[in-house]
Amino acid sequence: MTATSIQPIPETMQAVVCHGPENYRLEEVPVPTPGKGEALVRVEAVGICASDLKCYHGAAKFWGDENRPAWAETEVIPGHEFVGEIVQLDEEASRRWGVQVGDRVVSEQIVPCWTCRYCLRGEYWMCAPHEMYGFKRRHPGGMASYMVFPAQALVYKISKDLPPAHAAFTEPLSCALHAVERANIRFEDVVVVAGCGPIGLGMIAGAAEKFPAEVIALDMSDEKLELAKLCGATRTINVAEQDAVAIVKELTDGYGADVYLEGTGHPSAVAQGLNLLRKLGRYVEYSVFGSDVTVDWSIISDDKELDVLGAHLGPHCWPAAIRLLESGKLPMDRICSHQFPLSRFQDGLDMVADGSKSIKVSLIPE
């Protein structure tokens, strides 16, 4: 049995379609039809992140390595940070996700296969096929008026009281919270977060909720550092004007920070983190880098015996991210700095590429 919305569903919709590197077009395409156990969702907002920009430029150009394959297939609709309203689903989908027509929902960015080694062990965010919305034609993303949540998806309800762009921030916030969990922050820790973009601000907010001794934010923008304070940073350091390593060492009697969370994507932030950590400290890497990073690995081993951890996606953190957004604690009006209609997707991509005029840029389907 299928339930549908009161409003009729159109036959066609607007969507951004990838035709190759730097060749995205707004097109009129058929509204997708959900299959058994799936849901049709009317998209309310979709965020643009660094990986979207990477796909737009093409992996080879982004990395400076022609041997790297493109991340995204052609003819795919991009976008993996989205929120929308369910307009059609069957009883199977309703029971599985605990949702119904009219609910506002988000979905984790990965669509697990649930049959590979990682999925069977509960490590679904490392699913071997690694199908994500907006990168392969199999699962079109949210830069469209409508999209389908497949049966394998992980889906959550979120409050309708949040502005659409704020609700779509669930995805990057969940990623930031996963990095915080990887850091195993303790009450007495001095935590340093490098970068005050969307991920970094989420890391600061998540770290602050762990109540460590200090949460120190690093960035080159005073405006972003002020925003970091509103997210829970106890101290800020402008790395363009101050020596972060020296300041952290002085603050900790020469030992160094306990935890370093890297969220800039700049190679210099890696060496910075290794140098300002104490012996037996914990380094968590989340960023996607645009070039190779070279460091003195002896710092990790012989000098300090550091725990160096990676973080990918936001497993098991979506409910917490939703609660944090719904709590009203975060300055979301300032974090979600710019919204464009879907027809101005190019302006949105260009603004994210510039990096100096925005925090989180979102597209709002008309």
Side-chain angles (χ1 to χ4, degrees), residues 42-97:
R42 180 181 61 81
V43 180
E44 296 180 73
V46 56
I48 303 174
C49 84
S51 59
D52 291 316
L53 193 66
K54 178 178 177 181
C55 288
Y56 172 72
H57 287 299
K61 179 176 179 179
F62 185 91
W63 287 93
D65 183 352
E66 297 297 331
N67 294 318
R68 286 184 180 269
W71 270 28
E73 294 177 347
T74 57
E75 311 302 322
V76 71
I77 298 171
H80 61 277
E81 303 179 3
F82 45 75
V83 65
E85 179 189 23
I86 295 177
V87 296
Q88 184 177 335
L89 83 167
D90 59 18
E91 290 182 355
E92 178 185 328
S94 180
R95 285 194 304 269
R96 183 194 314 114
W97 296 324

Side-chain angles (χ1 to χ4, degrees), residues 135-263:
F135 295 94
K136 306 295 181 182
R137 286 186 290 272
R138 177 178 167 85
H139 297 304
M143 292 188 188
S145 301
Y146 292 87
M147 66 183 299
V148 166
F149 287 2
Q152 303 98 316
L154 292 156
V155 177
Y156 309 91
K157 287 194 288 189
I158 188 168
S159 172
K160 291 185 177 182
D161 293 334
L162 294 172
H166 298 190
F169 195 73
T170 307
E171 193 276 346
L173 183 56
S174 72
C175 294
L177 295 185
H178 177 49
V180 169
E181 282 205 328
R182 293 281 281 162
N184 190 27
I185 294 170
R186 298 161 188 164
F187 293 131
E188 71 274 14
D189 283 345
V190 171
V191 179
V192 176
V193 178
C196 296
I199 296 294
L201 292 173
M203 290 174 174
I204 291 163
E209 291 293 316
K210 297 283 187 178
F211 297 104
E214 295 272 7
V215 179
I216 304 173
L218 311 182
D219 204 278
M220 299 178 69
S221 164
D222 287 333
E223 183 178 355
K224 290 181 179 179
L225 290 171
E226 285 302 312
L227 195 51
K229 291 179 182 178
L230 298 178
C231 290
T234 56
R235 298 173 188 263
T236 61
I237 300 173
N238 187 322
V239 295
E241 302 170 355
Q242 300 170 286
D243 185 338
V245 175
I247 293 172
V248 172
K249 290 287 184 70
E250 182 179 359
L251 179 66
T252 57
D253 297 324
Y255 287 102
D258 303 281
V259 173
Y260 182 82
L261 299 166
E262 202 291 302

